[in-house]
Amino acid sequence: MKPRVFSAMQPTSDSLQLGNYLGALVHWVKLQDTHDAIYGVVDLHALTVAPDPAVLRARTRRTAAQFLAGGVDPTRSIVFCQSHVPEHAELAWLLSTFTGFGEAGRMTQFKDKSAKVGESGTNVGLFTYPVLMAADILLYDTNVVPVGEDQRQHLELSRDLAQRLNARFGEGTVVVPEPHIVKETAKIYDLQEPTKKMSKSAVSPKGTIEVLDDPKKVAKNIRSAVTDTGDVIAFDREAKPGVSNLLTIYSAIDGRSVDQLVAEYEGKMYGHLKSDLADVVVEFLTPFHDAAMEWIESPDRLDSVLEDGAARATAIARPTLERLYDKVGL
Ligand code: ADP
Ligand code: NA
């Protein structure tokens, strides 16, 4: 049996940004060859930011469509929507009774997010978000979870909870998940502020590459990316964050190493690099864009993928939850 991988994204935007694509989706697709993969659109998590209902519904479908367009194969992997499998919320409740209040309070992402919005703007769901994430993972007896740096602490909580349940109810009660760290993962930075990671919640829309955006706009954003002082194309994250970011994106898409690209662009200008990269990115995103649009414009097909995914997810999740209910005395 192949090890199981679980990963998910929140439906919090109309389009993934290039960092989600190159930093996560590309690896999800590869992991399908070696793992039994489950990929979720975690709409329950997205409720913590009070989205407009119609917008949330549309973004949930768009997010699933992008998984499929990017190469997630629903005949091999499970692609599903979190709220279609109520076991997530049920297990989250159970796990919340095993989570220390102080332990939850130490989660830095909550501290950062709530500091931004202030106490009146925050909610208990945002506070217990990592517990729901632990439920997402433990429900499927997940062996590995691909995680970016920002989710490391949350995965650590999932592991602590798994170990706690095993200590209390016996080894093997739940599987303790391991982080899956992809060494060659490209971390993509904002095009306008290249020391900050590219994010859906970026301040400057010009700094983000939305993968479903009009290719002309994508190209324009790349051509107007900030570069650094000097005129030598070299990889130096400290001194040349802008150029280094462009090289990272180029290498992630094109397959050539950063060193090869640096050699190739020796003596050329920043403008050259930006213009070539704009072409490379547009060429890369165009078929993805078309495939995603096809899914978005075929709601019945998309619904049937998600229905099938929910049924297959439930077939794993329900017995896990029953097992745990039995252990705790329900
Ligand atoms: P966002 O910051 O856009 O909201 P998420 O936090 O939802 O992104 O992350 C979804 C996935 O995409 C995670 O696996 C995360 O590690 C990856 N990811 C997000 N931004 C980047 C980035 N700039 N570079 C590389 N990977 C990223
Ligand atoms: Na984020």
Side-chain angles (χ1 to χ4, degrees):
M1 246 178 51
K2 290 176 179 171
R4 177 163 293 143
V5 62
F6 176 92
S7 199
M9 288 192 208
Q10 290 191 68
T12 46
S13 62
D14 289 341
S15 169
L16 301 186
Q17 41 90 4
L18 192 64
N20 306 137
Y21 194 119
L22 298 178
L25 190 52
V26 162
H27 300 289
W28 289 14
V29 172
K30 284 196 197 132
L31 282 164
Q32 298 181 111
D33 296 334
T34 47
H35 290 69
D36 174 12
I38 304 181
Y39 298 129
V41 179
V42 287
D43 53 350
L44 296 176
H45 284 280
L47 284 181
T48 57
V49 294
D52 174 85
V55 171
L56 175 61
R57 208 165 277 131
R59 287 179 168 177
T60 295
R61 318 180 93 266
R62 290 176 77 91
T63 303
Q66 291 172 89
F67 293 176
L68 299 168
V72 172
D73 173 3
T75 65
R76 283 197 287 163
S77 304
I78 295 177
V79 179
F80 80 109
C81 173
Q82 187 185 31
S83 66
H84 298 175
V85 182
E87 284 79 1
H88 287 257
E90 295 185 68
L91 182 58
W93 174 256
L94 189 157
L95 292 178
S96 74
T97 67
F98 287 85
T99 309
F101 191 77
E103 185 177 34
R106 282 193 293 276
M107 295 293 129
T108 55
Q109 195 175 84
F110 174 75
K111 286 198 257 184
D112 293 347
K113 284 189 177 168
S114 56
K116 261 185 226 157
V117 291
E119 193 165 313
S120 61
T122 196
N123 60 69
V124 174
L126 201 59
F127 184 69
T128 57
Y129 180 111
V131 179
L132 180 58
M133 179 173 151
D136 300 339
I137 294 166
L138 301 187
L139 208 42
Y140 298 102
D141 289 330
T142 300
N143 301 106
V144 291
V145 183
V147 275
E149 210 38 62
D150 49 342
Q151 293 297 329
R152 281 300 280 276
Q153 196 188 24
H154 291 168
L155 182 61
E156 220 28 69
L157 178 70
S158 304
R159 288 171 51 77
D160 289 345
L161 284 167
Q163 281 156 352
R164 202 165 295 159
L165 291 174
N166 286 343
R168 173 94 185 263
F169 301 110
E171 282 312 311
T173 298
V174 283
V175 173
V176 181
E178 300 288 337
H180 174 85
I181 297 153
V182 191
K183 285 210 187 61
E184 68 275 20
T185 291
K187 185 164 180 188
I188 311 300
Y189 294 84
D190 191 278
L191 297 174
Q192 291 299 320
E193 292 182 66
T195 53
K196 292 195 183 138
K197 81 166 191 130
M198 189 177 283
S199 172
K200 290 177 214 120
S201 40
V203 230
S204 77
K206 280 177 66 196
T208 307
I209 297 174
E210 297 206 336
V211 295
L212 286 186
D213 226 342
D214 173 10
K216 282 199 199 90
K217 192 177 150 206
V218 169
K220 199 167 158 231
N221 281 2
I222 295 172
R223 287 204 200 89
S224 55
V226 299
T227 35
D228 314 285
T229 51
D231 53 9
V232 178
I233 295 174
F235 189 89
D236 182 339
R237 190 63 79 198
E238 296 278 301
K240 290 176 175 282
V243 172
S244 301
N245 188 36
L246 299 177
L247 288 166
T248 303
I249 296 171
Y250 206 141
S251 166
I253 292 177
D254 168 273
R256 275 178 291 175
S257 71
V258 166
D259 287 346
Q260 279 173 294
L261 290 167
V262 167
E264 177 146 328
Y265 280 89
E266 201 189 322
K268 293 192 182 154
M269 319 237 277
Y270 289 161
H272 261 115
L273 175 66
K274 289 200 271 188
S275 163
D276 289 353
L277 179 60
D279 293 345
V280 165
V281 172
V282 167
E283 198 183 321
F284 174 69
L285 289 182
T286 300
F288 167 79
H289 179 278
D290 294 349
M293 285 306 155
E294 230 179 283
W295 280 108
I296 290 165
E297 284 155 17
S298 334
D300 292 348
R301 245 175 94 220
L302 189 56
D303 283 342
S304 97
V305 166
L306 292 175
E307 251 173 60
D308 174 63
R312 287 155 64 205
T314 303
I316 305 168
R318 195 71 220 170
T320 311
L321 187 70
E322 299 286 352
R323 190 172 84 223
L324 288 167
Y325 274 179
D326 183 54
K327 295 277 189 188
V328 298
L330 297 178

